[in-house]
Amino acid sequence: MSGEVRLSRRRFLKYAAGAAGALVIGIGTAEAADRPVPLALLGDSWKPLGPYLRVAADGRVFIGVRDPDNGEGTATSLARIIAEEMDADWNQVVVEPLGLGLEAGNGEPKFTYGRQRSGDATSIPAAWADLRQAGALARWLLLQAAARRLGVPADQIRGEAGMAIATDGRKVSYADLATTAAGIDAPSSAPPLKQPERYRLVGQPAGDVDARAVVTGTLAYAFDDTIGEPLVVVLARCPYPGGTLDQADRKAASEVKGVRAVIDITPESGQAAGTAVQSPALAVLADDTWAALSGRAALKATWKPGPNTEPPVGTLEQQALDLFGNDEAAPSIVRNDGDVAAARKKAARSLEATYFQPWVAHATAETPSCIVRLDPDTSITVIAATQSPRDVYTVVQRMTGFKPEQIDIRVPRGGGGFGRRLQSDYVAEALAVALAKKPDEIRNRPLKLLWTRADDLAHDYYRPMAVHRLNASIDRKKNIVGWHQRMASPSALVGRNTPDNRLWQSEVVPDALPAGLVPNYRSDWYPLSSQLARGDWRGSPHVTPTFASESFVDEIAHALKLNPLDFRLSLLGEPRQLPYGARGGPIDTARMANVLKLAADKLDWSRWLRSENGLGIACAYVFGAYVAHAIEVAPRQDGIDIVRVVCAADVGRVINPLGLEAQLQGATMDALSTALNLAITVKDGKVQQTGLRDYALSPTQPMPNEVETVIVPSTASPAGASVIGVPSAAPALANAVFRATAVRVRRLPLLRELARLR
């Protein structure tokens, strides 16, 4: 039997008869031609595959998930979509991660699994249609097979928990039907999908499919993976952006027991940020991790700053303030409704506030790593936790020149993404070492590149620092009639082949609220220059400006002596649809108002005026999802205690409520910890933080004991949820501190210190 089974149906669901009585289903995509089914899928073992499922003769249902899972719960939710439609027994489902779906077509790559990407809340919305179709086809074939077995029409048989059940009560298992089902001709049109009232898995809570392996330590993360007996590689990197090597003792490093080579690594010129080696480095190759780290220490490498030294954040903040005060500065006008200047002249009152946000690192639980096995002129295998396997492919193909069929990219589960693994610099580093000239005795050994925590903090793609200045014009009826929002930051799109007039896209969303709610509205963005690498951080264009706008709404309400909740609801106005140019629109103001009310009610917002504690609230719209946080804080002599946190979310139809709850809780805690504690600082041109002692996550105090969640039942199409718990958490905290401060001392210094997102 050949190594693969060729299927002829293109851009449609496919199936094939498998060995050992298996039924195999796959998904074709708009970008995929005929995908060969690996022979291993048809037998008893499971290998890296496309988004296929296999009904095995022993009753198990193997489901491959195409999108990387870095803790978002992707593997669980995508598998349940297929399992739901085919009426599988979830207890018999085995879920496996897939590598990059890649094959050649006329010398060009064909990405056979569709869009493989995670971390930007796209996995569920993108998969909702085609994964249901895959499950529906499997169910249709199995019920046709049951009809033949039982001698009754297929419309008199239903699927339930891995069984085909006739109206007369007779049952037959999917396992017993797999072989017959595989021999049935495909339907002429797509089988009908299940009606929502028949859902048994979608909308019901399920634990993460990897939970037991995670808590028992048996799950192999990317850091744990291996090929053969690889050499361990660590890099001594230049700490100065744009700097160069001064001197290093290569001889001393080479004499460390177990060290096999020391190799110079030079960044590729002209490559987009995030796709190449970030800084000059010396790579130490050794038999084990201890030897590699000892060899790196023995280098005693020193480095020279580049011509443009990175300034401390205070210098950039002052530059931003100078830009705001310079009428000749020409910002990018992101949005401009009406006439904010005219509104200000006519206003009964004008208010202004300035907000500061520092550089922030990702600090994923698992630091970057990459395994490479290079067979020169033949093939390459890359194993890396990534949020974008296609981007990894682009780097591998560019650096090796290999054809698509020579490249194998495997994607194990990663320990956190948060946008860090959208970059492929660590893959480029591993490839640079693999391609470098090495001693003959180690030339063909696989390599395993490891980053320490110090490496991770010093060479991250940081969330940019930012300064905001907001002006509001208020009429005599206490309505906002003008809103001017100015933001200055180093764009995360610099060096990524983005035109200068579009660099604001990584920093601000044009249609983010209160845009569309204020008749005269303007949003400006000013570029700041920085040498630090920048990238996405948990939905940055939503997070950063939302902190400023939602904090300012509370300051306006306070100045007008209005309840912040009522003020927000009044600003939202009557239920309507607001145009929204980014993914997920339009904005439904009624759904936004609903999550605000739910969060407030859960916290008992009626205490807002009389409570000695501070109550704060904020909301955000992200990727089609609506979220609000309500937070209660108690002032202490040396700070605050966060007494309660409520997060209400409307993400449309929920696939896995337990997974969504975990996402909201984790993102909220991350946002609060960041707001209270975290900042990357620069001194003498280089990052100061070297570990979690000086980039410390918040301890138990002042963090809450729990994050209470309210999930809105909905029949709307599902939206992504991986980042939505972040944007409104920090401003809700700042607003709670603002209220506590205003009530007790009638002044704002404490708020402004805590609200700088440190």
Side-chain angles (χ1 to χ4, degrees):
M1 191 172 183
S2 65
E4 60 184 34
V5 177
R6 280 282 175 187
L7 302 176
S8 62
R9 293 182 63 85
R10 176 172 174 156
R11 297 176 62 183
F12 190 62
L13 301 167
K14 308 175 224 43
Y15 67 100
L23 168 66
V24 179
I25 304 289
I27 302 170
T29 72
E31 298 167 329
D34 304 323
R35 172 65 179 168
V37 179
L39 182 62
L41 176 59
L42 307 178
D44 294 328
S45 62
W46 181 272
K47 302 291 185 183
L49 310 168
Y52 297 94
L53 65 91
R54 177 166 70 92
V55 181
D58 63 3
R60 292 176 298 166
V61 176
F62 291 87
I63 298 179
V65 291
R66 65 189 181 191
D67 286 357
D69 193 330
N70 288 284
E72 304 94 342
T74 306
T76 304
S77 294
L78 298 190
R80 281 176 79 82
I81 292 174
I82 293 179
E84 175 65 80
E85 280 293 337
M86 70 175 295
D87 287 313
D89 180 356
W90 184 249
N91 294 322
Q92 293 294 313
V93 169
V94 179
V95 180
E96 295 288 342
L98 304 174
L100 179 65
L102 176 68
E103 64 181 24
N106 297 323
E108 296 296 322
K110 290 187 176 180
F111 298 104
T112 56
Y113 305 168
R115 183 179 185 273
Q116 291 184 268
R117 187 177 172 95
S118 68
D120 53 5
T122 57
S123 292
I124 297 301
W128 182 237
D130 56 358
L131 294 192
R132 284 190 297 158
Q133 290 173 359
L137 177 60
R139 171 170 41 84
W140 186 90
L141 292 168
L142 289 162
L143 296 188
Q144 294 295 321
R148 297 183 182 185
R149 176 78 62 89
L150 300 176
V152 298
D155 61 8
Q156 295 183 20
I157 305 174
R158 75 180 191 278
E160 183 177 323
M163 304 290 291
I165 305 174
T167 54
D168 61 11
R170 288 182 294 163
K171 302 179 181 179
V172 58
S173 72
Y174 281 177
D176 291 339
L177 296 170
T179 302
T180 303
I184 297 175
D185 290 338
S188 57
S189 59
L193 301 175
K194 287 176 67 173
Q195 294 300 307
E197 57 267 21
R198 290 194 57 233
Y199 287 166
R200 292 183 173 85
L201 298 178
V202 168
Q204 298 301 313
D208 191 297
V209 293
D210 292 325
R212 182 177 294 277
V214 170
V215 299
T216 58
T218 58
L219 180 68
Y221 287 90
F223 218 78
D224 304 312
D225 221 324
T226 190
I227 297 178
E229 296 182 2
L231 290 169
V232 174
V233 182
V234 296
L235 269 62
R237 300 172 181 84
C238 179
Y240 302 104
T244 56
L245 178 66
D246 180 17
Q247 59 182 0
D249 193 341
R250 294 175 175 83
K251 184 175 183 294
S254 299
E255 291 175 348
V256 172
K257 183 179 180 181
V259 171
R260 297 304 190 97
V262 177
I263 297 173
D264 285 67
I265 301 299
T266 303
E268 297 175 81
S269 61
Q271 300 301 327
T275 68
V277 173
Q278 186 184 131
S279 60
L282 294 172
V284 178
L285 288 65
D287 290 330
D288 55 55
T289 304
W290 179 255
L293 292 173
S294 299
R296 184 172 72 172
L299 282 171
K300 297 182 179 178
T302 58
W303 308 85
K304 295 183 290 187
N308 299 312
T309 304
E310 176 65 22
V313 69
T315 300
L316 293 175
E317 291 176 347
Q318 186 57 54
Q319 290 175 6
L321 297 176
D322 292 343
L323 286 170
F324 296 158
N326 183 359
D327 292 338
E328 296 183 1
S332 292
I333 301 175
V334 176
R335 178 164 173 159
N336 193 8
D337 301 339
D339 189 332
V340 294
R344 187 176 302 121
K345 290 179 181 179
K346 297 178 182 179
R349 187 173 184 180
S350 293
L351 299 170
E352 181 178 283
T354 303
Y355 301 89
F356 303 84
Q357 292 167 287
W359 295 100
V360 174
H362 296 85
T364 56
E366 179 188 16
T367 57
S369 65
C370 182
I371 297 171
V372 174
R373 180 176 63 193
L374 174 64
D375 296 323
D377 304 321
T378 304
S379 65
I380 187 169
T381 298
V382 174
I383 303 176
T386 174
Q387 292 175 259
S388 183
R390 282 203 202 180
D391 289 344
V392 170
Y393 165 79
T394 300
V395 172
V396 173
Q397 199 284 323
R398 184 193 77 233
M399 294 183 68
T400 65
F402 281 153
K403 298 176 181 179
E405 61 269 25
Q406 295 175 290
I407 298 173
D408 178 19
I409 296 174
R410 306 177 189 176
V411 187
R413 180 156 176 159
F418 314 142
R420 176 61 180 97
R421 299 186 199 278
L422 291 172
Q423 318 301 326
S424 301
D425 56 309
Y426 52 98
V427 176
E429 288 181 340
L431 291 170
V433 177
L435 293 167
K437 184 178 180 180
K438 295 182 284 294
D440 290 344
E441 65 269 18
I442 62 170
R443 186 189 318 171
N444 295 322
R445 282 185 64 176
L447 303 174
K448 184 172 185 176
L449 173 72
L450 302 179
W451 283 44
T452 65
R453 179 61 65 195
D455 298 334
D456 177 47
L457 290 175
H459 299 277
D460 198 358
Y461 283 79
Y462 308 99
R463 188 193 75 184
M465 57 75 62
V467 181
H468 311 261
R469 178 162 290 168
L470 290 84
N471 299 88
S473 301
I474 314 297
D475 68 12
R476 288 181 174 80
K477 295 182 180 180
K478 298 185 178 182
N479 297 314
I480 301 176
V481 294
W483 181 288
H484 191 185
Q485 185 156 342
R486 286 172 286 182
M487 174 181 176
S489 65
S491 171
L493 292 177
V494 169
R496 298 176 187 266
N497 302 318
T498 302
D500 288 349
N501 64 352
R502 308 302 289 175
L503 291 175
W504 56 265
Q505 290 180 317
S506 64
E507 310 305 299
V508 62
V509 178
D511 300 331
L513 299 178
L517 301 176
V518 179
N520 302 286
Y521 177 93
R522 177 164 169 166
S523 175
D524 294 337
W525 176 76
Y526 297 78
L528 297 177
S529 179
S530 170
Q531 304 301 309
L532 292 186
R534 288 94 74 186
D536 183 68
W537 183 91
R538 308 211 73 167
S540 297
H542 299 273
V543 173
T544 307
T546 296
F547 172 76
S549 59
E550 281 296 294
S551 296
F552 192 42
V553 167
D554 255 52
E555 293 208 45
I556 297 171
H558 175 77
L560 299 178
K561 296 181 172 56
L562 297 174
N563 182 319
L565 172 62
D566 295 341
F567 186 59
R568 280 179 172 79
L569 296 175
S570 175
L571 185 60
L572 288 170
E574 294 297 318
R576 62 197 187 283
Q577 304 288 314
L578 299 177
Y580 189 79
R583 172 166 51 90
I587 300 176
D588 186 329
T589 61
R591 293 174 71 180
M592 182 62 80
N594 185 48
V595 295
L596 276 167
K597 293 174 184 176
L598 289 171
D601 288 347
K602 184 78 170 178
L603 194 71
D604 187 11
W605 191 261
S606 63
R607 301 178 293 123
W608 166 76
L609 193 58
R610 66 179 185 274
S611 176
E612 291 189 2
N613 289 341
L615 307 187
I617 197 163
C619 62
Y621 177 82
V622 188
F623 301 134
Y626 304 80
V627 64
H629 280 87
I631 295 179
E632 178 178 356
V633 303
R636 296 187 316 187
Q637 189 69 27
D638 57 347
I640 60 166
D641 279 331
I642 303 177
V643 179
R644 288 185 66 194
V645 176
V646 176
C647 179
D650 179 352
V651 302
R653 187 178 297 281
V654 179
I655 307 302
N656 178 13
L658 189 60
L660 173 58
E661 181 178 312
Q663 282 292 302
L664 295 173
Q665 291 171 339
T668 298
M669 295 293 277
D670 191 12
L672 297 179
S673 176
T674 302
L676 289 167
N677 257 28
L678 303 181
I680 290 292
T681 57
V682 175
K683 183 179 180 181
D684 298 329
K686 60 183 179 180
V687 170
Q688 296 298 290
Q689 285 64 38
T690 61
L692 296 182
R693 283 181 296 182
D694 49 12
Y695 194 78
L697 304 179
S698 284
T700 303
Q701 290 292 107
M703 300 296 277
N705 292 329
E706 64 174 322
V707 175
E708 305 167 55
T709 59
V710 182
I711 297 174
V712 177
S714 176
T715 59
S717 296
S722 62
V723 300
I724 68 168
V726 176
S728 55
L733 173 62
N735 294 338
V737 176
F738 181 19
R739 179 62 189 169
T741 306
V743 167
R744 286 175 175 261
V745 296
R746 303 295 178 188
R747 57 188 175 87
L748 306 182
L750 175 60
L751 166 70
R752 289 301 145 237
E753 284 303 309
L754 290 174
R756 287 171 65 90
L757 281 183
R758 289 192 171 136

